[in-house]
Amino acid sequence: MAERYGKELADALPEADGVLGFDDYADISNRLQVILSGGSVEAHTPRDRRSLLPLSPVERQKAAEGVALPGHGTAGEADLASAAESAPADLPEGLAPASGPRAPLRRRLDTSPVASVKLASGCDRRCSFCAIPSFRGSFVSRRPSDVLNETRWLAEQGVKEIMLVSENNTSYGKDLGDIRLLESLLPELAGVDGIERVRVSYLQPAEMRPGLIDVLTSTDKVVPYFDLSFQHSAPDVLRRMRRFGDTDRFLELLRTIRDKAPTAGARSNFIVGFPGETEADFAELERFVTHARLDAIGVFGYSDEDGTEAATYEHKLPQDVVDERLAHLSRLAEELTAQRAEERMGETLEVLVESFDEDENDGEGGWIGRAAHQAPETDGQVVLTADSAEGLDLAPGRMVTAKVVGTEGVDLVVACLDEEAGR
């Protein structure tokens, strides 16, 4: 919001002491000191961040040194010494800044066994409904060494699963001269001591390649999880979205994945009611969703986004039609994902234990975790049966082997197979 709207946001929120954009990140401490001292900081002036870097990806890395890219920073020894000196005295054990050159300048705010690791910033795609590239900028990869160092640091803090995040992970490395860099990085991340799972989010179907599918489906500790951004499946709608593919190509991609990893997880998001979407287009989307056997589905009704090409399109659908299609596909998605969960009955899973969920009514509760096909917060969870977990030395971060014995919508109910707590 701050990056995109700047002064407009500041005018709408006079009670805010400052509105800071990405350009302020490099000097954020001084900006905050000015505010705390009673001074004022000029509100961020929005601009199209795609114009800050060269159009050619291979020319970006050097140019990016002069552009603020949140999440790309690493700390030298001086930074770390300063961070250690300013760290609160009561900072929980294990959360103090790391030491040594080029360790990530990052503090964890919780003790979850799961953490995200930024892989890149920005996006070079020009989907007609999306404004993200204008305020996130062009695609810039983090260096593999920085991603590895941060992962090692997180493992030292007790993290068991890392989730690689960016606007488009399938593009990783193209600005470093190697579009297949992700395929070589993933095994290295999986080999970090203490890491049990490496998960990759947000994959572009149009950029999926055989080598990447092979690594995602065959590398130990890299989960066969495919967060594929389909958005729609009717070819006419996809072209207006400035995207590629169709129902049959997408189904073939999923078949290719499942031929290599039959229990692979797959999820996606879809936009209904896009300008010009006909009843036949909507029916085509229904056909895809019905046959795709996705584990998790997000459905959104189209609405205009400031500054996007689609906002200028004609043939906008009446809001009641958008709402009706949204409700219809949402109901279908709920039914289909529940059916997909039922298909997993009898499967043996590796479950990452995350928390103990205490029942407020009776004071009892149970252990909650996630299987390989479930991403944090979005794809459902695993509930361990109380009798199978009894007597086990369970704790957040433990991995246990379990069998699916029931379902609750997209959630799975499992019985632990371990005689004692897992690794």
Side-chain angles (χ1 to χ4, degrees):
M1 291 286 288
E3 177 64 34
R4 191 174 182 190
Y5 294 109
K7 189 174 186 305
E8 181 182 347
L9 186 61
D11 291 342
L13 297 172
E15 66 274 23
D17 293 305
V19 176
L20 309 179
F22 295 154
D23 291 337
D24 294 298
Y25 272 54
D27 200 27
I28 191 74
S29 181
N30 287 337
R31 299 285 196 280
L32 296 177
Q33 288 295 340
V34 169
I35 292 171
L36 289 171
S37 300
S40 61
V41 175
E42 186 176 353
H44 170 70
T45 301
R47 52 179 170 171
D48 189 335
R49 292 186 68 83
R50 291 172 294 188
S51 64
L52 302 182
L53 293 171
L55 192 62
S56 171
V58 295
E59 298 174 356
R60 285 187 194 145
Q61 284 292 322
K62 188 171 183 179
E65 295 176 5
V67 177
L69 297 171
H72 284 241
T74 54
E77 293 182 3
D79 297 314
L80 288 163
S82 174
E85 290 173 3
S86 62
D90 60 349
L91 196 65
E93 185 178 354
L95 296 188
S99 60
R102 299 206 59 74
L105 189 59
R106 172 175 179 171
R107 291 182 189 157
R108 301 200 69 212
L109 302 182
D110 60 31
T111 56
S112 169
V114 185
S116 295
V117 176
K118 190 180 185 75
L119 197 61
S121 289
C123 184
D124 287 342
R125 304 189 72 85
R126 294 295 180 264
C127 302
S128 62
F129 55 83
C130 182
I132 289 174
S134 65
F135 56 87
R136 280 288 182 182
S138 300
F139 187 89
V140 181
S141 304
R142 288 183 72 195
R143 288 173 293 191
S145 58
D146 292 342
V147 177
L148 270 168
N149 283 339
E150 184 168 353
T151 299
R152 293 186 183 110
W153 181 83
L154 287 168
E156 292 172 358
Q157 313 306 309
V159 168
K160 299 298 181 182
E161 175 180 327
I162 62 163
M163 185 166 178
L164 301 178
V165 297
S166 77
E167 279 74 31
N168 179 10
N169 283 325
T170 36
S171 283
Y172 180 70
K174 70 177 186 179
D175 52 322
L176 295 170
D178 185 0
I179 191 60
R180 293 179 294 276
L181 191 55
L182 184 58
E183 286 94 306
S184 58
L185 177 61
L186 286 172
E188 292 190 68
L189 294 171
V192 172
D193 287 344
I195 296 297
E196 296 290 343
R197 276 187 188 159
V198 177
R199 185 182 303 277
V200 185
S201 68
Y202 210 83
L203 302 166
Q204 279 287 347
E207 297 181 28
M208 290 302 294
R209 46 197 179 268
L212 181 55
I213 294 174
D214 287 342
V215 170
L216 288 170
T217 55
S218 65
T219 306
D220 185 37
K221 296 188 179 181
V222 175
V223 295
Y225 174 79
F226 293 82
D227 176 12
L228 295 159
S229 172
F230 290 122
Q231 302 298 351
H232 212 283
S233 72
D236 289 345
V237 175
L238 286 168
R239 301 308 173 268
R240 286 194 293 276
M241 289 180 168
R242 299 211 177 279
R243 296 176 68 86
F244 305 93
D246 55 48
T247 297
D248 293 333
R249 291 182 188 179
F250 291 162
L251 290 175
E252 180 58 32
L253 172 59
L254 290 169
R255 277 192 293 270
T256 299
I257 290 168
R258 289 171 177 144
D259 283 346
K260 295 177 179 295
T263 61
R267 78 170 324 276
S268 192
N269 296 321
F270 301 94
I271 298 173
V272 299
F274 194 76
E277 181 190 66
T278 65
E279 291 185 7
D281 292 330
F282 185 66
E284 185 69 1
L285 177 57
E286 281 189 277
R287 180 170 81 90
F288 172 67
V289 171
T290 301
H291 290 89
R293 296 171 56 230
L294 298 172
D295 293 279
I297 298 172
V299 185
F300 303 90
Y302 172 80
S303 60
D304 286 338
E305 189 75 14
D306 289 348
T308 62
E309 180 184 350
T312 68
Y313 284 179
E314 298 179 349
H315 308 298
K316 301 279 178 62
L317 275 63
Q319 189 60 49
D320 60 338
V321 174
V322 176
D323 293 343
E324 181 182 348
R325 293 181 182 180
L326 173 62
H328 177 82
L329 195 65
S330 296
R331 287 193 299 269
L332 178 61
E334 186 174 348
E335 294 173 6
L336 292 170
T337 51
Q339 290 174 16
R340 177 63 181 138
E342 291 174 0
E343 290 179 16
R344 294 189 179 275
M345 285 287 292
E347 277 188 22
T348 298
L349 309 173
E350 290 293 310
V351 178
L352 174 62
V353 178
E354 291 193 315
S355 64
F356 186 83
D357 188 16
E358 189 169 332
D359 193 310
E360 295 181 357
N361 296 320
D362 57 18
E364 298 182 358
W367 287 100
I368 305 296
R370 283 180 302 103
H373 69 278
Q374 297 168 318
E377 301 179 3
T378 59
D379 297 349
Q381 60 188 15
V382 167
V383 180
L384 282 65
T385 59
D387 55 345
S388 70
E390 187 176 359
L392 298 182
D393 184 22
L394 296 180
R398 294 292 179 89
M399 297 287 293
V400 297
T401 304
K403 182 178 181 179
V404 182
V405 296
T407 64
E408 297 175 356
V410 296
D411 296 337
L412 303 179
V413 179
V414 304
C416 296
L417 299 178
D418 305 58
E419 294 183 0
E420 56 186 49
R423 58 186 184 277

